[in-house]
Amino acid sequence: MDRLDLELNPRIAAGVRRAAARLRSPRDVLCVSALELQTITGLSPSDVQQLLATAAAACRPHRPVPAVLLHRGECPRLEPGLRLGVGCVVINELLRGGLPVGRITELSGQSGAGKTQLALQLCLCVQYPTDYGGLDSGAVYICTENSFPIRRLQQLVTDQYVMRSDVPPSLISTLKFSDHVYVEHTADLDSLQVCLSRRVPLLLARGLARLVVLDSLAALFRCEFQAAEWQERTRQMLNVSSTLHRLSQEFSTTVLCINQVTDVFSDTDKSLGVSPALGLTWANQVCVRLMMLRSHATISRGNQHSALRRLEVVFGPHLARGGVDVAVWREGVRGVLSSDRIQAQHQSSQIC
């Protein structure tokens, strides 16, 4: 590393050359504390801060985008306002058009809440043109626990004519949905990092996919780390989130991470509730957090029956807190209509 690489002034460049054995790249500079940099380079505190700022800028893959460019729509890489629709008007209204592109969205909930159902539905929605809420591309589905639910995916594909009545049947018939869902299986964190750093970027770079689904993230961290290994657990978690952020922004891709929940007790009424797993560290890595809750109520429509669910917005910079009732039908996840809700009110409506 020399001053030409980092555009340093001669005084700081001379200090860097004195520590050339340890400072060989911008990343090496960032891995050393400011006090240690003063010791090995002989620079003043102000010069060290300038060196750190220059090294950080060199490691950043993209320059910051001013808000005025986003407002004018002059940043094609971020595509401001672009959303991946869910295929349901009720849910899209809750999400203000769908999941944001270039960001990480988390969907948490208990087992059987319908998280995987919604993820599979998104794998089909992403293949529609942008005029119909899609991104005109495929999806990468990374399984960490169970095998990929191929039969359910085929069922959703067959019933697309029912689910997407807003799309001309002639267009649906031309889409080869199953050919554009790329499935990966990772049993541990090492294989996940290999998948995210090697195989997934190839698909994204070729334009074959613009949706990455990770189902689920918590499974890997819960099985690989003990309570005393929290520091290594946090480091690995940040590595995964950093990779996902880079993929989403560099390739203008929607990333959906499915998360499990943990039981929590309320301090006020001592009641039992649920909270997304992985704690505050992971919560700070996602842009939008959604939660699906399954109730004891059932809902009927014709000869189909479904447990009543609730899709809630926990947080999101562009979303208001709220939620909608949903149900999982043969054709997919839909918002509950007023007539369906009247049937459900005759049952117990306690949320699990």
Side-chain angles (χ1 to χ4, degrees):
M1 181 177 65
D2 55 33
R3 61 174 182 169
L4 296 178
D5 293 331
L6 291 182
E7 298 182 358
L8 301 171
N9 66 46
R11 182 180 64 258
I12 299 178
V16 170
R17 285 194 295 269
R18 285 194 291 269
R22 293 191 58 182
L23 306 180
R24 301 178 181 178
S25 69
R27 293 182 182 273
D28 293 337
V29 175
L30 298 178
C31 291
V32 181
S33 67
L35 184 60
E36 190 173 359
L37 280 176
Q38 294 181 42
T39 302
I40 63 178
T41 61
L43 298 174
S44 65
S46 60
D47 288 342
V48 167
Q49 291 301 320
Q50 184 178 346
L51 173 61
L52 288 171
T54 307
C59 291
R60 188 168 50 212
H62 303 287
R63 296 182 61 84
V65 180
V68 65
L69 295 184
L70 289 177
H71 179 70
R72 295 173 181 172
E74 298 176 0
C75 184
R77 176 173 60 85
L78 294 182
E79 297 183 274
L82 188 61
R83 300 283 187 271
L84 170 58
V86 184
C88 171
V89 176
V90 176
I91 301 178
N92 282 338
E93 288 181 355
L94 173 69
L95 303 179
R96 297 184 63 181
L99 304 187
V101 174
R103 299 293 184 266
I104 298 178
T105 299
E106 178 201 73
L107 177 61
S108 61
Q110 294 172 315
S111 177
K115 306 183 298 296
T116 299
Q117 301 285 336
L118 189 59
L120 293 175
Q121 184 167 310
L122 285 166
C123 290
L124 304 184
C125 292
V126 72
Q127 301 183 41
Y128 286 98
T130 55
D131 292 341
Y132 298 99
L135 300 178
D136 202 14
S137 188
V140 182
Y141 201 104
I142 304 174
C143 302
T144 64
E145 293 182 274
N146 304 317
S147 58
F148 180 74
I150 183 62
R151 291 186 179 180
R152 178 54 175 159
L153 179 68
Q154 292 173 344
Q155 187 180 57
L156 293 176
V157 171
T158 303
D159 290 341
Q160 279 299 287
Y161 296 96
V162 179
M163 182 69 188
R164 299 304 302 268
S165 58
D166 59 314
V167 181
S170 58
L171 174 59
I172 296 178
S173 62
T174 62
L175 297 175
K176 306 297 182 183
F177 292 102
S178 300
D179 294 344
H180 301 286
V181 179
Y182 306 94
V183 181
E184 293 280 351
H185 289 86
T186 59
D188 51 49
L189 284 173
D190 291 337
S191 59
L192 175 62
Q193 284 287 11
V194 171
C195 177
L196 293 176
S197 60
R198 298 181 184 179
R199 296 193 291 272
V200 173
L202 290 177
L203 294 171
L204 300 181
R206 295 174 182 176
L208 299 178
R210 291 189 68 182
L211 169 66
V212 177
V213 178
L214 181 54
D215 184 9
S216 72
L217 183 65
L220 298 179
F221 289 96
R222 281 180 164 177
C223 67
E224 290 202 18
F225 297 101
Q226 302 297 324
E229 301 174 316
W230 63 271
Q231 287 183 322
E232 178 62 18
R233 176 177 178 266
T234 300
R235 189 184 70 83
Q236 292 284 0
M237 193 183 304
L238 294 177
N239 286 340
V240 171
S241 68
S242 176
T243 304
L244 291 174
H245 277 293
R246 180 181 59 81
L247 293 175
S248 65
Q249 295 177 12
E250 182 175 348
F251 299 103
S252 189
T253 299
T254 297
V255 174
L256 176 65
C257 292
I258 296 179
N259 194 6
Q260 300 171 357
V261 294
T262 56
D263 293 333
V264 294
F265 287 93
S266 173
D267 294 333
T268 55
D269 54 5
K270 305 300 180 182
S271 60
L272 179 65
V274 295
S275 177
L278 302 181
L280 188 60
T281 300
W282 171 251
N284 289 327
Q285 307 306 311
V286 301
C287 176
V288 177
R289 167 168 281 180
L290 308 176
M291 178 175 285
M292 289 193 75
L293 303 171
R294 177 170 176 160
S295 72
H296 297 297
T298 59
I299 190 169
S300 301
R301 192 192 64 181
N303 60 351
Q304 295 188 61
H305 305 277
S306 170
L308 186 65
R309 276 96 166 172
R310 181 81 176 171
L311 179 62
E312 296 185 347
V313 174
V314 180
F315 63 73
H318 62 294
L319 299 176
R321 288 290 298 269
V324 294
D325 292 333
V326 299
V328 179
W329 305 112
R330 176 184 173 88
E331 68 271 15
V333 181
R334 286 182 180 270
V336 175
L337 303 177
S338 57
S339 58
D340 296 329
R341 184 177 293 110
I342 292 174
Q343 298 175 20
Q345 286 175 349
H346 295 291
Q347 307 288 338
S348 170
S349 59
Q350 180 181 359
I351 296 294
C352 294

